Amino acid sequence: MKRRDFLRATAAGALAAPLLPNLLTDVAKAAEPTARWYKGNLHAHSQWSDGQDLPEVALAEYKKRGYNFFAFTEHNVLQQNDFKFDGKDAKPFDGETSRWKRLATPGVRSNLTEDRVRKAREFFGEDSVAMKETAEGTFVRLKPFTELNEQFGDKENFLLMPAFEMTTPWAHLNLINVEETFYLDDEKIGGVVSKSYDKAREMYDGAGKPWLFMVNHPLWQYYNEQPSDLIARPEVKFFEFTNNCTAYPFIPGAWTPESFWDVVNAYRASHDQDFLYGTGTDDSHGVYNTGFVAFYGWTGVRATELTPKAIFDAMNRGDSYISTGLELEDVTFDGKTLCVKAKPEKEGKWRVEFFGTKKDYDPTPKYFDAKAGPKMNRRIEGYSEKIGEKLATFDGTEGSYTLKSDDLYVRARVTRVGAEPVYLGTGADKSPLPTDAAWTQPYRG
Ligand SMILES: [Zn+2]
Ligand SMILES: [Zn+2]
């Protein structure tokens, strides 16, 4: 059994304990005392880019809701100390640090308005927001990462990581726990992903810090990434499975977030490559905003401590799950059997389903010419429904599935029967993903 596919049984996970071979049970015992689930969001925006809140206001809300790790992923910018000024009259800012942004009247969604400053002052006091009057207007100082980290970072409970969202007209990619940005584009969408991965490796591998590369919202804005883009780059290990910006009417027969994932992993499993793991994020652009709903998507990670290394190591071996509101109590895999147990807060009827792909699957895509879509023509892929087919269903909050000899992999999903889709807007612009659900990563023998 591959090490990355082995999941430790937790104290609560007597569920699968008898199935574990002795050696692995001993390993599990050694790791047992400190491993726990951490909840995190690796995609969010503040006033540093096109988000609505001052960053400290957003952070206070995430922390209050029990998040343990978090990254602001501003568009093409890090929340640095470096002096920045977006007015013309720089004099009053001599010797100042960080970014100063002009106070604006309401209008554009992300304008820095008085209301948003007032919110921060309500939370942290009148003196908490620095402002300066200039001939150009009133400017507000945005707190940089180091100050936010001092204010909110907590070794045991809250890990804040520097990050940015490399934002091109085509692809969006998150670079987490990095201290330098880059930007590149390509005439092909998949080319941005591929070239950016190489660029990131070149820039960050030598920096001595663990970093994470994530392909964001493949559906947005209009099926921007195809499964074949991630089949072409087996080193890319993370994609954003759920994101509240993925609002677009779907093309019947084209890939969905779940089939996108299964298509890539069916290929990778049959070529002995690493899995593509999913993340859950909310891509919050404002915690009080009704247009982009915060707190709907997050990632649960089981790690022994709250450091970037421990969190990324756990994510890299698949010890994480995706949530749109449901917590998992335990996930175990002993090389054959995947067991999952959810811990719902809500009343309701729950269902556990297992999905996978058989070894004799047909990998041939069908193509949809998306001339009707905005911005550009592109070739959208659709695949056989046998990829990611349902293998088993259980009523209730727990279930298990033992891999058969013809299975490439298995993954589980827990849902509340009748749950609403993740809100994305109006009319047809809804996510195919339900709220109050959780997805395990894929596992194979
Ligand atoms: Zn984006
Ligand atoms: Zn974003």
Side-chain angles (χ1 to χ4, degrees):
M1 182 172 50
K2 288 173 182 143
R3 182 173 147 57
R4 63 174 179 258
D5 291 338
F6 170 66
L7 283 181
R8 192 185 66 74
T10 63
L15 194 61
L19 301 165
L20 297 170
N22 284 340
L23 177 69
L24 294 169
T25 309
D26 290 345
V27 174
K29 275 182 191 153
E32 215 162 49
T34 48
R36 52 160 284 203
W37 289 111
Y38 292 105
K39 173 179 177 175
N41 180 27
L42 295 176
H43 193 164
H45 301 268
S46 78
Q47 281 290 342
W48 276 85
S49 59
D50 63 345
Q52 299 180 340
D53 310 307
L54 288 177
E56 61 269 34
V57 171
L59 284 175
E61 292 289 355
Y62 279 97
K63 210 171 165 178
K64 197 167 83 187
R65 283 169 167 78
Y67 282 72
N68 304 112
F69 61 94
F70 187 89
F72 280 118
T73 50
E74 311 289 4
H75 298 290
N76 296 323
V77 66
L78 283 159
Q79 296 175 330
Q80 279 162 326
N81 287 308
D82 305 25
F83 174 72
K84 284 190 182 144
F85 177 66
D86 48 9
K88 288 178 198 134
D89 174 16
K91 257 202 157 157
F93 298 92
D94 276 353
E96 295 288 356
T97 60
S98 201
R99 179 174 186 192
W100 293 76
K101 192 168 177 180
R102 192 201 307 259
L103 199 65
T105 49
V108 177
R109 192 190 69 213
S110 59
N111 275 358
L112 176 49
T113 60
E114 273 178 27
D115 264 8
R116 284 164 188 154
V117 172
R118 195 173 308 127
K119 197 85 202 168
R121 288 183 160 162
E122 270 170 32
F123 274 44
F124 305 108
E126 283 298 308
D127 296 339
S128 67
V129 184
M131 290 169 82
K132 271 184 193 289
E133 302 292 337
T134 79
E136 301 270 316
T138 305
F139 284 79
V140 179
R141 182 174 181 273
L142 304 182
K143 291 195 178 192
F145 176 83
T146 44
E147 287 170 38
L148 295 167
N149 196 31
E150 227 164 79
Q151 189 173 355
F152 294 95
D154 168 354
K155 214 169 162 282
E156 303 294 317
N157 290 306
F158 199 75
L159 169 70
L160 191 60
M161 291 181 276
F164 72 100
E165 181 173 21
M166 203 202 76
T167 309
T168 74
W170 305 70
H172 291 193
L173 309 161
N174 274 0
L175 283 303
I176 315 285
N177 204 41
V178 300
E179 287 176 358
E180 241 185 302
T181 62
F182 68 87
Y183 182 87
L184 57 82
D185 207 349
D186 194 69
E187 68 277 7
K188 279 184 17 219
I189 300 182
V192 180
V193 173
S194 186
K195 287 182 178 172
S196 298
Y197 184 78
D198 291 335
K199 178 74 184 165
R201 207 153 52 174
E202 176 195 316
M203 279 179 70
Y204 308 129
D205 261 359
K209 279 175 61 169
W211 54 279
L212 189 132
F213 180 97
M214 179 169 103
V215 174
N216 296 349
H217 45 62
L219 186 62
W220 195 87
Q221 182 177 9
Y222 194 66
Y223 292 87
N224 272 15
E225 264 77 55
Q226 303 305 315
S228 60
D229 296 332
L230 291 178
I231 286 173
R233 286 314 300 256
E235 307 95 322
V236 174
K237 292 194 70 171
F238 301 99
F239 89 117
E240 197 175 43
F241 176 78
T242 179
N243 169 304
N244 293 345
C245 295
T246 48
Y248 208 82
F250 296 95
I251 296 176
W255 59 264
T256 63
E258 295 208 58
S259 73
F260 183 102
W261 198 15
D262 285 308
V263 167
V264 177
N265 282 329
Y267 181 91
R268 290 188 178 191
S270 54
H271 291 78
D272 200 28
Q273 296 170 346
D274 289 347
F275 277 130
L276 176 67
Y277 293 127
T279 60
T281 82
D282 60 28
D283 196 0
S284 166
H285 283 66
V287 294
Y288 309 108
N289 187 359
T290 50
F292 295 89
V293 185
F295 314 121
Y296 262 124
W298 44 272
T299 307
V301 178
R302 184 160 44 192
T304 48
E305 57 176 349
L306 192 54
T307 60
K309 184 174 185 327
I311 295 293
F312 296 168
D313 282 353
M315 289 175 73
N316 271 302
R317 60 174 185 264
D319 207 356
S320 70
Y321 67 88
I322 303 157
S323 177
T324 55
L326 174 65
E327 264 184 57
L328 293 187
E329 179 175 315
D330 206 5
V331 180
T332 59
F333 181 71
D334 65 353
K336 273 193 165 166
T337 301
L338 174 62
C339 302
V340 60
K341 186 178 184 187
K343 196 171 72 175
E345 279 179 11
K346 281 188 187 166
E347 294 288 312
K349 250 183 90 179
W350 297 84
R351 185 168 288 160
V352 182
E353 294 154 297
F354 291 86
F355 299 88
T357 303
K358 300 292 179 184
K359 287 178 179 165
D360 63 351
Y361 81 99
D362 176 7
T364 324
K366 282 178 290 186
Y367 295 106
F368 298 83
D369 225 7
K371 287 198 171 64
K375 292 201 174 179
M376 50 201 102
N377 297 347
R378 64 196 58 185
R379 204 167 68 155
I380 295 168
E381 296 166 9
Y383 289 84
S384 158
E385 287 184 3
K386 299 290 282 178
I387 300 179
E389 68 176 298
K390 197 182 290 182
L391 303 172
T393 304
F394 297 82
D395 286 331
T397 56
E398 51 191 299
S400 65
Y401 181 83
T402 300
L403 284 168
K404 298 183 173 55
S405 60
D406 60 344
D407 286 326
L408 280 171
Y409 65 90
V410 62
R411 63 178 180 85
R413 174 176 85 182
V414 189
T415 50
R416 185 168 62 78
V417 178
E420 287 288 301
V422 173
Y423 175 77
L424 291 167
T426 53
D429 295 357
K430 286 193 188 286
S431 169
L433 302 175
T435 52
D436 301 330
W439 291 259
T440 73
Q441 304 296 346
Y443 300 97
R444 63 185 143 180

